Amino acid sequence: KRRRRMSHIRRFTCDDLFRFNNVNLDSFTETYNFAFYLQYLSKWSDFFTVAESHDGQMMGYIMGKAEGERTNWHGHVTAVSVAPEFRRIGLAGNVMKWLEEVSEKVYDGYFVDLFVRQSNKVAIGMYEKFGYIKYRTVLGYYSGQENAYDMRKALARDVEKKSVIPVLKPVTPEELGE
């Protein structure tokens, strides 16, 4: 039986870039270049958090941003990852709630969205458990090789839940900004 491990959530720092290999190295986690992480840290630090154990070990992290215009203004989950030894104890849910709260209370967004590989059934199920829906399919999103689901969760500002009415026709990555 696995024991629940004590953790806390804090802001990601530059030093964390040298400590997150245990979290980042799995086949479903996108790994970006150093400049990409620094850009997020400098522009959207509110959305970049880490779950850390009582002894200072990085357990997982989330990074995101605010984007869009008017009723498309929203929080976006760029990456969420939990180290294998810390999975299935609620950490992903905790950092997702953090990002949702920042999106809603700090940035006044209408929804939160994320992209997930269609083959990542475990993650899709987890996001659905968190209240996300499959909004649309993005063809060839992952290096032109694999489709993604654009998943969304409406926030309080979207009273009529218009942001989560599914789009049935698949789109290409080039059409995402339209």
Side-chain angles (χ1 to χ4, degrees):
K1 195 173 184 181
R2 293 179 98 163
R3 289 186 2 209
R4 184 173 284 270
R5 300 181 190 204
M6 296 298 292
S7 67
H8 68 278
I9 296 174
R10 63 167 176 78
R11 291 267 174 93
F12 199 97
T13 67
C14 288
D15 289 340
D16 291 323
L17 291 170
F18 302 105
R19 302 177 48 233
F20 75 164
N21 281 346
N22 70 309
V23 177
N24 234 29
L25 298 177
D26 82 31
S27 62
F28 287 116
T29 299
E30 291 294 313
T31 302
Y32 305 99
N33 64 45
F34 201 69
F36 187 85
Y37 292 106
L38 289 175
Q39 175 189 19
Y40 268 74
L41 194 54
S42 67
K43 289 176 86 170
W44 299 289
S45 61
D46 292 338
F47 289 99
F48 210 159
T49 59
V50 63
E52 189 174 64
S53 68
H54 69 285
D55 62 357
Q57 184 178 4
M58 187 179 293
M59 302 166 78
Y61 72 92
I62 193 166
M63 61 188 279
K65 62 184 176 180
E67 62 184 4
E69 295 177 354
R70 296 180 291 283
T71 58
N72 196 38
W73 178 246
H74 65 281
H76 173 73
V77 177
T78 302
V80 59
S81 189
V82 174
E85 64 270 27
F86 298 113
R87 291 184 182 155
R88 303 197 183 281
I89 60 171
L91 288 178
N94 291 342
V95 295
M96 289 290 290
K97 282 180 196 159
W98 175 289
L99 190 137
E100 291 164 9
E101 285 186 24
V102 168
S103 298
E104 186 170 64
K105 295 178 178 158
V106 178
Y107 289 88
D108 198 25
Y110 284 86
F111 61 94
V112 172
D113 79 342
L114 58 90
F115 297 100
V116 61
R117 292 175 186 274
Q118 281 186 327
S119 63
N120 194 345
K121 305 295 185 207
V122 172
I124 293 165
M126 177 186 73
Y127 295 133
E128 288 175 335
K129 186 176 90 175
F130 297 160
Y132 287 76
I133 60 101
K134 294 174 188 166
Y135 175 70
R136 62 185 167 183
T137 300
V138 184
L139 302 172
Y141 181 79
Y142 290 99
S143 304
Q145 303 296 313
E146 185 175 355
N147 297 344
Y149 288 124
D150 176 356
M151 298 187 76
R152 292 185 176 189
K153 180 178 184 177
L155 299 176
R157 187 173 183 191
D158 184 6
V159 177
E160 296 177 27
K161 308 292 183 222
K162 289 182 179 181
S163 66
V164 294
I165 298 170
V167 174
L168 301 179
K169 182 180 181 253
V171 297
T172 65
E174 297 76 30
E175 294 172 299
L176 288 174
E178 297 176 0

